[in-house]
Structures are given as structure tokens and as C-alpha cells.
Amino acid sequence: MMNPGLRMTLLVLTSLLLAGAAPQQTQTGEFEKLATEFWSWRTLNQPLSGDDIPRVERPVEWVPDWSPGAI
């Protein structure tokens, strides 16, 4: 037989986990949207670098556009 204190603790923890599950899915979706928007922004705005490791995949002929209208 399970200790009543342990049983109550498990019941409370399970309830808290179940109650927090739905909002977490919404927050995850919002986070994924933000991450997608960030990477799209970064691809367009990250300057060229002399680094030998490409941080962002770009077309071979890509050149940055730092004109006032683009910024």
C-alpha cells in the first residue's frame, strides 16, 4: 500500500502537469513562429563574413543590400 503523503504528492504533481500541458503547446507554437521569423530575418540581414564556416545558406550570387530603402 502506498504512503498517503506520497499518494497526495503524486496526485498534485500529476494535476499540475496535466493543467500545464495545453498552454505549453500554444507557447511552443508561438516560439516556433518567432524562431522561423528570426531565421528569415537573419538570412536577409546577416552581413558577409570572412569566416570559413557559412552560418547562413545563401545563393552563390547573393550580395547584401545595405541601401537606406532596404534597411
Side-chain angles (χ1 to χ4, degrees):
M1 183 149 179
M2 188 182 294
N3 179 332
L6 178 60
R7 186 176 196 165
M8 181 58 78
T9 301
L10 289 175
L11 179 63
V12 169
L13 288 175
T14 302
S15 298
L16 289 173
L17 288 172
L18 291 175
Q24 185 177 4
Q25 290 173 348
T26 301
Q27 291 173 352
T28 300
E30 291 172 5
F31 176 75
E32 289 174 1
K33 181 182 175 195
L34 176 63
T36 300
E37 291 173 357
F38 170 78
W39 282 101
S40 295
W41 171 83
R42 182 176 184 216
T43 300
L44 294 173
N45 294 291
Q46 180 177 349
L48 290 175
S49 167
D51 194 348
D52 61 343
I53 301 172
R55 306 293 180 194
V56 174
E57 297 290 328
R58 294 192 175 111
V60 176
E61 300 296 322
W62 180 87
V63 291
D65 183 2
W66 295 103
S67 67
I71 294 174

